Amino acid sequence: MAPKRAATPSGTDTPVPVSAMPARGRVYSGGYVQSITVVPATEPPRFTAMVEDPGAAYRDPLSRKPVARVRLVWVGQRRVPGVEAGTRLAFEGMVSTVDSYPTIYNPRYEIIGRPEDES
């Protein structure tokens, strides 16, 4: 039996799309890791992942429409096992706007695997 997760602020376990994320507050969402940033060894440890909506992986590459993104930052980590470009994540945490991006520091996360029949 899977552990019971706390309900989102709206009272449901339905993930909030990245494009509909509030400016502040606790959120439960998910998406694909678009890019990661690893800081140099001379800086304090920090691992950053930019996450897009799940539908963003299938968008038209010629589209000029901006893509909603959220920044996930793990402070004190040089890397987070399993989190790399293309990985699908579900995550939860307190969101705030930093440098015009919604940002979640030290989020709870879960790596979502593909079904075996997909390649």
Side-chain angles (χ1 to χ4, degrees):
M1 187 162 97
K4 181 127 173 100
R5 206 184 60 69
T8 58
S10 62
T12 66
D13 286 336
T14 306
V16 175
V18 172
S19 56
M21 206 171 274
R24 297 181 74 167
R26 179 164 290 283
V27 294
Y28 170 61
S29 187
Y32 285 95
V33 176
Q34 185 251 349
S35 65
I36 61 168
T37 304
V38 181
V39 297
T42 57
E43 292 187 25
R46 181 178 69 243
F47 184 85
T48 304
M50 295 298 284
V51 178
E52 299 179 338
D53 274 326
Y58 304 105
R59 71 179 185 276
D60 179 12
L62 301 176
S63 174
R64 298 283 184 209
K65 198 163 51 169
V67 177
R69 293 185 177 114
V70 61
R71 179 188 302 146
L72 305 180
V73 180
W74 286 270
V75 179
Q77 302 293 318
R78 292 240 179 248
R79 75 188 230 15
V80 176
V83 177
E84 54 192 42
T87 303
R88 186 168 182 186
L89 296 176
F91 55 89
E92 180 178 18
M94 293 297 288
V95 66
S96 62
T97 304
V98 178
D99 297 332
S100 74
Y101 281 107
T103 303
I104 300 175
Y105 288 96
N106 298 321
R108 293 180 61 186
Y109 72 99
E110 178 180 359
I111 296 172
I112 309 296
R114 281 189 239 153
E116 289 184 19
D117 58 350
E118 281 188 28
S119 54

